């Protein structure tokens, strides 16, 4: 039965991760969920039955992640659906963000995801089954957001590694889906999930306007419903042939269509130059 699948969800104490965990538990799934604070996780989820395993995990620490995966298998006997949801937003132009700020975003958004993949793949290879959902973003599909270059870079990295992962793991029966949400009404644009630059450069008018737009206008008015996003992810996990790319939200869908149309036009416009570089052309 579908609800016998064991789920492992990172970043589960708030936002989309919390909505997903609560819905999974309501449907009777066994769920291991992670957060930096196990108390925050317990208080947010409010579920004490044996089907819920709350775990305090530092995603940037490979040993911490490995112990969490092992604990999940020890508790439930297997692991089936892995949702790499943990991450945070970072605003700031490429010029004004420091190495520390940029690397910090990559450490959580990219290397945290990699740590989970490395830890869980031995179990999935042995089972010859499993489904890894890596939560990227529409900002991992199109990068035309001033002031979000590093964040976009982390999400493009997640998208790229996920496409390769899908090709690497298909023969093991392991499926991969890249979840690419638009704006969802969560805490993502609030302090703690959204970081702004320590040293702003006033000349970047478009960046400051974009930053203010996200913090003051978009925050709290996002069109996406996290409960419906959770429903969509649960549905996809039950599909025999799930999509590699799952866009969530009408805004994400529209932005993706615009990017594809723009890229198609650009390819045709510069086709002659592109193909002129082959030997014998």
């Amino acid at each position: 039965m579908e609800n016998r699948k064991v789920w492992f969800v990172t970043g589960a104490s708030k936002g989309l991760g919390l909505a997903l965990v609560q819905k999974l538990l309501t449907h009777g799934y066994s769920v291991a969920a992670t957060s930096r604070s196990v108390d925050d996780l317990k208080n947010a989820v409010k579920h004490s039955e044996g089907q819920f395993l709350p775990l305090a995990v530092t995603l940037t620490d490979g040993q911490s992640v490995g112990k969490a995966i092992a604990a999940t298998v020890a508790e439930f006997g297997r692991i089936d659906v892995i949702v790499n949801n943990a991450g945070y937003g970072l605003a700031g132009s490429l010029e004004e963000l420091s190495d520390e700020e940029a690397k910090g975003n990559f450490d959580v958004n990219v290397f945290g995801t990699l740590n989970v993949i490395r830890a869980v793949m031995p179990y999935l290879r042995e089972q010859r089954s499993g489904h890894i959902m890596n939560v990227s973003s529409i900002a991992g599909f199109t990068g035309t957001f001033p002031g979000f270059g590093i964040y976009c870079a982390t999400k493009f990295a997640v998208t790229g590694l996920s496409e390769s992962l899908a090709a690497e793991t298909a023969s093991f029966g392991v499926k991969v889906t890249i979840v690419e949400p638009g704006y969802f009404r969560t805490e993502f644009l609030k302090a703690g999930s959204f970081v702004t630059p320590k040293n702003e450069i006033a000349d970047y008018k478009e960046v400051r306007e974009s930053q203010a737009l996200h913090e003051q206008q978009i925050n709290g008015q996002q069109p996406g419903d996290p409960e419906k996003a959770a429903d969509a992810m649960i549905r996809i996990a039950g599909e025999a042939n799930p999509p590699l790319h799952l866009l969530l939200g009408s805004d994400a869908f529209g932005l993706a269509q615009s990017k594809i149309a723009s890229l198609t036009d650009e390819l045709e416009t510069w086709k002659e130059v592109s193909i002129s570089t082959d030997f014998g052309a």
Side-chain angles (χ1 to χ4, degrees):
M1 292 176 62
E2 274 299 311
N3 65 359
R4 289 181 182 169
K5 284 184 175 179
V6 175
W7 288 63
F8 181 92
V9 183
T10 69
S13 63
K14 56 186 175 181
L16 178 57
L18 177 58
L20 177 60
V21 167
Q22 289 175 323
K23 188 143 290 195
L24 286 167
L25 291 170
T26 298
H27 289 319
Y29 290 94
S30 295
V31 182
T34 83
S35 177
R36 286 171 292 182
S37 166
V38 75
D39 288 335
D40 287 349
L41 189 54
K42 289 178 180 178
N43 290 335
V45 175
K46 293 182 174 63
H47 191 97
S48 59
E49 294 180 18
Q51 68 187 104
F52 176 51
L53 179 64
L55 298 163
V57 177
T58 302
L59 289 174
T60 54
D61 180 341
Q63 287 190 331
S64 177
V65 173
K67 289 178 181 177
I69 295 292
T72 301
V73 176
E75 178 72 17
F76 299 121
R78 60 184 295 115
I79 189 166
D80 297 294
V81 186
I82 296 85
V83 182
N84 283 304
N85 167 71
Y88 69 92
L90 176 66
S93 71
L94 295 176
E95 180 184 351
E96 64 195 0
L97 289 172
S98 66
D99 275 359
E100 180 184 11
E101 289 169 311
K103 288 177 180 176
N105 208 209
F106 270 88
D107 282 345
V108 174
N109 293 6
V110 181
F111 288 99
T113 294
L114 272 174
N115 282 339
V116 174
I117 291 168
R118 293 186 186 116
V120 79
M121 274 309 303
Y123 297 97
L124 303 186
R125 281 192 292 109
E126 184 178 357
Q127 289 176 184
R128 287 298 194 265
S129 67
H131 192 168
I132 298 174
M133 294 190 193
N134 292 330
V135 179
S136 177
S137 168
I138 186 57
F141 192 90
T142 178
T144 53
F145 301 96
F148 289 88
I150 294 298
Y151 177 72
C152 287
T154 68
K155 293 304 185 178
F156 268 79
V158 169
T159 296
L161 70 86
S162 300
E163 290 185 352
S164 291
L165 180 67
E168 293 169 359
T169 62
S171 63
F172 305 131
V174 176
K175 300 160 186 172
V176 177
T177 295
I178 307 157
V179 181
E180 294 158 309
Y183 291 104
F184 276 77
R185 205 166 298 178
T186 68
E187 298 89 342
F188 185 74
L189 294 178
K190 296 179 181 178
S193 296
F194 184 70
V195 177
T196 55
K198 295 176 182 175
N199 298 301
E200 295 182 356
I201 298 173
D203 274 354
Y204 282 101
K205 180 174 177 287
E206 293 84 1
V207 172
R208 298 286 80 79
E209 289 175 349
S210 176
Q211 186 177 320
L213 176 69
H214 283 79
E215 291 181 297
Q216 298 168 21
Q217 295 183 41
I218 296 176
N219 184 27
Q221 300 299 319
Q222 299 97 319
D225 181 343
E227 296 288 329
K228 293 180 179 178
D231 287 334
M233 293 170 71
I234 294 169
R235 174 185 169 181
I236 291 302
E239 294 288 333
N241 296 296
L244 176 57
H245 290 265
L246 177 64
L247 279 294
L248 292 181
S250 59
D251 54 349
F253 191 87
L255 286 167
Q257 283 190 316
S258 295
K259 167 74 179 277
I260 291 166
S262 175
L263 181 58
T264 300
D265 288 343
E266 197 168 57
L267 285 171
E268 289 302 319
T269 299
W270 297 101
K271 178 180 178 180
E272 183 182 354
V273 176
S274 296
I275 65 177
S276 71
T277 58
D278 292 351
F279 282 109

